[in-house]
Amino acid sequence: MAINEPPESLTSSNDDNNNLRRRRGDGAKAVDAVTELDSSSQAEASSSSDDVTSDVRDPRGSGGLDTPSEDGERKEEMKVNDETTPLKYVYRASAPAHRRNKESPLSSAAIFKQSHAGLLNLCVVVLISINSRLIIENLMKYGLLIGSGFWRSSTSVRDWPLLMCCLSLPIFPLAAFLVEKLAQKKYMNERVTVTLHIIITTAAILYPVLVILRCDSAFLSGNTLMLFACIVWMKLVSYAHTSYDMRQLAKSVDKGENSEINYSYNVSFKSLAYFMVAPTLCYQLSYPRSACIRKGWLARQLIKLVIFTGLMGFMIEQYINPIVQSSQHPLKGDLLYAIETVLRLSLPNLYVWLCMFYCLFHLWLNILAELLRFGDREFYKDWWNAKTIDEYWRHWNMPVHKWMVRHIYFPCLRNGIPKGGAMVISFFISAVFHELCIAVPCRLFKFWAFLGIMFQVPLVIFTNFLQNKLKNSNVGNMTFWFFFCILGQPMCVLLYYHDVMNRNGSAS
């Protein structure tokens, strides 16, 4: 039985393989030939040759994975045959057009694996066109509403007591420094020191509240003073808490309990003065510093701050005020009308809120950090990608978040309070100060801001449940945007405006 001659089938198979090998190297040859075409044909042919030649190079047509050895042999054969394969062998009808499983670009399995810059550009163009139409329509309906009175509204004579109160706030850090200096010299014990710090911090927040309530000042002036007072209060709490901790550590070193630590407790007025003006709420003896002040960069940020502040004023006067003034109380009237008003107010309110964030957390804090050469400028994180309400609060305002973690949350945990209880206490303190910053300048205590912040606790639980259950970041992110920006803030604006108007109407 002769076995020297190969069977016919094997011979034909080998011939086919040789033909395919001759066609494997046609990729580079195709590209060289295509360069002779016109520019439009060249772009089409180059993109097609990438797909088709890759199909031709795989004689199996199955979309299977190649081993490294097979891939190396194929590359060598391509290199040899690149100079000999004519262009007419590239686009063969027998070349497989479908070789492996692929997802549609917008399917959930592939949507995050590619760039969507074109769709983002489309959204920007659509937003510009829509808002341009709204601006023109608003100007045609109301005219230009913003005037010089807007800029002078917070500089009237009745607001000077608030300015004097703001200028007198440094008295409280000075008193805290004197208390710490006396405690360092051991002129008073720990109980007296802590008691004096409690009195100082309480007076620092009550003093502006009493001044605002006794003076008929504008809302903007009162709100600014309350923000400064809350910042001073938080800084004083951090200073007292940190100094107490440093005293305890110094005592343990003196007793030899931590002999390996080289530590000395020092009360420095210079460090306290720098801390009171630095863009941070957490006290420490030294901070990371930048090398120099970039004057050109600083000038650009100041120009941006002026532009965006003016833009906020324009949107408030031109859009928010007319909508609010022509609205009804959202809790006393037609439900559909209230929903329509909230939705109408949500867009300009969102723009003002985003401008406020950009002006305060990016421009102003960076300007202050540049002037003071403050190095740590992580004033916010990517809160816009927050998948839960909890993640938003941890990324939105980093100075306050670090203060809460350092002086509220972890001290609660160290005292045996569970994590849930510590979170509720943190939100409670935040709710109290949100209410102070809004209700005191309005001279109206309806607790809408307080309830709005405390409502974040069940929202945290709800969005965490959605994220763990669905494993989809889009659901939690859309829930955050809806509750916080579309529903929450416009509703709060409407409630406070109508309550203030009703109070003024009843008083008159």
Side-chain angles (χ1 to χ4, degrees):
M1 186 175 182
I3 59 173
N4 293 328
E5 293 294 328
E8 185 179 353
S9 60
L10 293 178
T11 304
S12 61
S13 176
N14 290 335
D15 292 339
D16 292 340
N17 287 337
N18 290 333
N19 291 333
L20 287 171
R21 287 177 181 174
R22 285 195 298 271
R23 287 152 52 191
R24 283 173 182 165
D26 52 17
K29 187 66 177 180
V31 175
D32 295 336
V34 167
T35 56
E36 299 175 2
L37 302 175
D38 55 71
S39 58
S40 62
S41 300
Q42 179 182 0
E44 181 180 356
S46 60
S47 62
S48 300
S49 62
D50 291 338
D51 295 334
V52 176
T53 54
S54 63
D55 296 335
V56 173
R57 288 167 196 162
D58 189 1
R60 297 165 294 179
S62 61
L65 298 175
D66 298 328
T67 61
S69 60
E70 291 173 343
D71 187 60
E73 292 175 1
R74 185 173 295 107
K75 289 180 180 179
E76 290 297 329
E77 292 168 357
M78 286 172 51
K79 188 174 183 181
V80 172
N81 296 324
D82 275 347
E83 304 296 331
T84 60
T85 306
L87 179 61
K88 63 181 181 179
Y89 288 109
V90 178
Y91 304 102
R92 297 298 297 265
S94 61
H98 307 281
R99 299 177 57 247
R100 59 182 179 270
N101 297 336
K102 292 183 180 179
E103 295 286 348
S104 298
L106 295 180
S107 63
S108 59
I111 192 171
F112 295 113
K113 297 180 181 179
Q114 55 197 315
S115 172
H116 296 284
L119 293 178
L120 179 61
N121 293 335
L122 173 63
C123 293
V124 172
V125 171
V126 171
L127 282 174
I128 291 175
S129 62
I130 292 176
N131 287 280
S132 298
R133 184 192 65 81
L134 292 176
I135 291 173
I136 295 173
E137 181 182 354
N138 182 273
L139 291 175
M140 293 174 62
K141 184 176 181 180
Y142 299 106
L144 187 63
L145 297 177
I146 190 169
S148 59
F150 172 78
W151 306 105
R152 296 198 304 266
S153 63
S154 60
T155 58
S156 57
V157 176
R158 64 184 182 181
D159 291 331
W160 283 108
L162 274 64
L163 177 62
M164 300 305 297
C165 176
C166 186
L167 294 177
S168 61
L169 286 179
I171 295 175
F172 300 101
L174 181 61
F177 169 76
L178 294 177
V179 169
E180 283 300 318
K181 202 66 178 177
L182 293 175
Q184 182 190 17
K185 296 181 179 299
K186 299 181 180 180
Y187 290 156
M188 59 180 69
N189 57 27
E190 285 296 334
R191 178 173 297 180
V192 175
T193 302
V194 172
T195 303
L196 289 177
H197 274 304
I198 293 174
I199 294 173
I200 292 171
T201 52
T202 305
I205 198 67
L206 289 181
Y207 168 54
V209 170
L210 295 176
V211 172
I212 293 173
L213 293 179
R214 290 179 64 87
C215 299
D216 186 19
S217 59
F219 171 80
L220 183 60
S221 302
N223 180 256
T224 303
L225 176 58
M226 283 307 306
L227 285 176
F228 276 113
C230 291
I231 291 172
V232 170
W233 183 86
M234 297 174 78
K235 285 177 178 283
L236 290 178
V237 169
S238 179
Y239 178 69
H241 196 178
T242 304
S243 298
Y244 173 82
D245 191 53
M246 289 192 297
R247 285 197 304 274
Q248 300 304 314
L249 185 58
K251 290 179 181 179
S252 65
V253 171
D254 293 340
K255 294 179 180 179
E257 297 177 2
N258 294 312
S259 57
E260 69 279 0
I261 300 178
N262 185 13
Y263 178 82
S264 60
Y265 169 57
N266 183 31
V267 179
S268 171
F269 180 77
K270 182 179 179 180
S271 62
L272 175 60
Y274 182 84
F275 166 63
M276 293 306 298
V277 294
T280 180
L281 300 174
C282 295
Y283 175 72
Q284 56 193 61
L285 294 176
S286 62
Y287 297 92
R289 306 291 293 274
S290 57
C292 61
I293 298 176
R294 299 167 291 178
K295 296 180 180 179
W297 181 89
L298 189 63
R300 290 193 297 272
Q301 306 310 306
L302 287 171
I303 293 173
K304 291 180 184 179
L305 183 62
V306 173
I307 292 174
F308 279 92
T309 303
L311 182 61
M312 275 196 299
F314 172 78
M315 287 187 290
I316 291 172
E317 288 290 302
Q318 195 72 30
Y319 293 96
I320 294 181
N321 282 350
I323 295 175
V324 171
Q325 291 170 4
S326 62
S327 65
Q328 299 176 359
H329 197 288
L331 301 182
K332 300 176 182 178
D334 187 12
L335 177 61
L336 291 178
Y337 180 83
I339 295 175
E340 190 269 340
T341 304
V342 169
L343 292 178
R344 244 186 337 132
L345 187 60
S346 62
L347 188 60
N349 185 82
L350 176 61
Y351 289 161
V352 170
W353 181 68
L354 291 176
C355 285
M356 181 276 298
F357 160 77
Y358 186 71
C359 288
L360 178 60
F361 290 97
H362 183 75
L363 294 177
W364 170 245
L365 291 183
N366 272 288
I367 288 171
L368 189 59
E370 189 72 18
L371 290 172
L372 298 173
R373 293 173 50 214
F374 189 83
D376 185 4
R377 303 185 183 184
E378 191 185 45
F379 304 122
Y380 57 90
K381 292 184 179 179
D382 58 337
W383 54 266
W384 46 88
N385 293 327
K387 296 180 284 294
T388 62
I389 299 296
D390 177 44
E391 186 177 357
Y392 162 77
W393 285 110
R394 287 187 282 109
H395 290 178
W396 145 256
N397 187 342
M398 292 305 296
V400 171
H401 170 68
K402 291 177 181 178
W403 185 90
M404 283 286 184
V405 168
R406 191 185 190 197
H407 300 293
I408 303 296
Y409 186 76
F410 280 120
C412 289
L413 296 182
R414 285 194 294 268
N415 285 277
I417 299 176
K419 290 184 178 181
M423 181 187 70
V424 172
I425 292 174
S426 300
F427 273 106
F428 177 81
I429 294 175
S430 177
V432 169
F433 281 94
H434 276 81
E435 180 69 21
L436 287 176
C437 289
I438 299 178
V440 172
C442 292
R443 292 177 292 280
L444 181 73
F445 293 91
K446 289 287 187 175
F447 297 99
W448 299 124
F450 177 85
L451 294 175
I453 298 300
M454 292 306 296
F455 184 64
Q456 305 298 307
V457 176
L459 281 181
V460 167
I461 300 173
F462 176 69
T463 53
N464 285 339
F465 170 78
L466 285 180
Q467 181 63 21
N468 295 330
K469 189 73 174 178
L470 301 178
K471 303 296 183 183
N472 190 335
S473 59
N474 286 333
V475 175
N477 188 256
M478 287 188 292
T479 304
F480 148 69
W481 281 112
F482 174 77
F483 279 107
F484 197 81
C485 297
I486 305 302
L487 178 63
Q489 293 185 22
M491 181 65 73
C492 188
V493 170
L494 289 174
L495 289 171
Y496 271 105
Y497 172 80
H498 284 286
D499 286 336
V500 170
M501 290 298 101
N502 292 337
R503 187 207 63 183
N504 293 340
S506 61
S508 61

